[in-house]
Amino acid sequence: MTKTISVTATAEKTPGAKSDAATTTPVKLKRGRPPKSATKPVATDADTGATLEPAPKRRRTYTKKAKAAENGTSLGVDEGVFFTSRLSALEADTTQFVPGDEDISMFEEARAAASISEGGVEGGGTTPSTPSALASMVGYQAKKIQLGSYVIDSWYLSPFPDEYSRHNLLYVCEYCLKYMKSEFTFKRHCQRCEQRHPPGDEIYRDDNISVFEVDGRKNKIYCQNLCLIGKMFLDTKTLYYDVEPFLFYILCENDDQGYHFAGYYSKEKRSSMGYNLSCIMILPSKQREGYGKLLIEFSYLLSKKESVPGSPEKPLSDFGLLSYRSYWRRAIYEILLTCDGAVSIDDLAAQTGMTIDDIISTLQTDGMLHRMPGTPGSYAIVADAKKIKEYVSKAQEKSPRRIDPCKLRWAPFLIKAPLSAAPTNRRRSTSTALAISSTLVNVTSDNENDK
């Protein structure tokens, strides 16, 4: 739809001249656009009616700075002003922003890294087959975490989501274990986070040490974050997101501000193999404080509470085997020092919560299990009491912190039969125990299957 309007062009009034009649020209315009004349208005002389010529355009006068700009040269500050006095000559000079050799090399490295992360390598290379291979090529992993007041280096690759793995440093709340990418988000979260302890039940407290039991089904997000953090320091850990069949026991240091995460261990709710521990991890910032053996002792305390001997999940790692053998040796030696008469391996299992296989393995490793002469299938525990006392005293000095069973407030997750009523294929001995002298500890166990 068009409209017809009139445009009036009036000549400039000159001194002593009469006003010229206005000329009108019809113009068709479209709706929504400003009026625009089809023909330019023509100025005429009021007396003669002659058409007036338009004034000639003023030609551009080239200054010294304009000629310098055309020639590609620069002027000093005193020689001219650029951009209508807004920039000086130094500020207007763009030659300093030309990419150099170092900038070009950085660009090539970034482009090569981007091509690898997209699934291919320039120049006919191969695509990384595993996340660890990709991480070694382009650094595609979170290398550090800030947990509380500590910045901890990662030991192994942890499968954080891609948007978080691209950052070298992740910020983790030490109360709810939520991980964040930026420091600003982390500080804002710390101001608003109302949680001051792990979710679940506090089942043990001794001085500044507390242990919480967390169900993986009830607190799924917390346990998943816990497993992702644990994978950063455990090479053989494979559980990340399927946390519902597990119980997690969180070790914390408590103070006026809250309960600070120090380590944890997990175990299956229903273990067909009788395992009382599946995974254990202590933060590097909390190591060398005896927390590892403290959690191991706590796991065996729960096994004794359930009246079922327990054992860690096999196979054990190298460091795990060293820690467990140290605990097994100390637990067995303490009972051998306090025994008043004959003690069988079954009695050791009942008092320590350990399985018979772990007890026999420890005694054989220390060379304390000997075959009794003249009695086939019978063995005796023979050890030097002086060496046992020295070992126990050194262990107590090195790790003075112990678990107090009286401070445990816990009920078993599953009710099981008492240990004495548990089926066993091992026959108790009825033979007489050897005498216990001041230098030797001799304990008999006539068990045909103990070998």
Side-chain angles (χ1 to χ4, degrees), residues 309 356 417-426:
I356 294 178
L419 182 62
S420 59
T424 177
N425 57 351
R426 302 181 183 275

Side-chain angles (χ1 to χ4, degrees), residues 147 150-152 253 261-262 282-289:
L147 186 64
Y150 297 95
V151 177
I152 309 173
E253 295 178 343
F261 172 72
I282 304 296
L283 289 175
S285 58
K286 301 297 182 181
Q287 293 180 359
R288 302 293 180 180
E289 297 185 18

Side-chain angles (χ1 to χ4, degrees), residues 244-265:
E244 295 183 2
F246 291 86
L247 292 172
F248 296 83
Y249 296 89
I250 316 300
L251 177 67
C252 299
E253 295 178 343
N254 57 70
D255 55 15
D256 297 337
Q257 297 181 354
Y259 295 78
H260 307 278
F261 172 72
Y264 82 99
Y265 83 89

Side-chain angles (χ1 to χ4, degrees), residues 164-180:
Y164 294 91
S165 297
R166 298 179 183 274
H167 297 265
N168 290 332
L169 177 62
L170 293 181
Y171 301 88
V172 182
C173 176
E174 59 180 338
Y175 301 113
C176 66
L177 299 187
K178 180 181 179 181
Y179 49 88
M180 288 148 279

Side-chain angles (χ1 to χ4, degrees), residues 300-321:
Y300 280 105
L301 176 61
L302 299 188
S303 296
K304 289 188 288 184
K305 193 77 172 179
E306 293 176 331
S307 301
V308 175
S311 179
E313 185 174 335
K314 309 295 192 305
L316 290 171
S317 61
D318 296 337
F319 291 105
L321 183 60

Side-chain angles (χ1 to χ4, degrees), residues 8-10 20-24:
T8 303
T10 306
D20 186 18
T23 58
T24 304

Side-chain angles (χ1 to χ4, degrees), residues 188-207:
R188 185 177 61 180
H189 171 82
C190 292
Q191 294 176 354
R192 299 182 178 182
C193 183
E194 299 179 354
Q195 189 170 341
R196 285 296 178 266
H197 59 81
D201 302 324
E202 184 180 10
I203 60 177
Y204 181 85
R205 181 188 294 182
D206 185 9
D207 196 13

Side-chain angles (χ1 to χ4, degrees), residues 89-153:
L90 184 60
E91 294 173 341
D93 185 14
T94 59
T95 56
Q96 56 182 331
F97 302 107
V98 177
D101 296 338
E102 184 179 358
D103 300 325
I104 296 175
S105 62
M106 291 176 61
F107 171 76
E108 294 295 339
E109 292 177 0
R111 183 170 63 176
S115 64
I116 293 175
S117 62
E118 291 175 359
V121 182
E122 291 186 356
T126 58
T127 303
S129 57
T130 60
S132 58
L134 178 62
S136 61
M137 297 178 68
V138 297
Y140 189 70
Q141 63 171 330
K143 298 181 180 179
K144 298 179 180 180
I145 60 170
Q146 180 175 337
L147 186 64
S149 58
Y150 297 95
V151 177
I152 309 173
D153 294 332

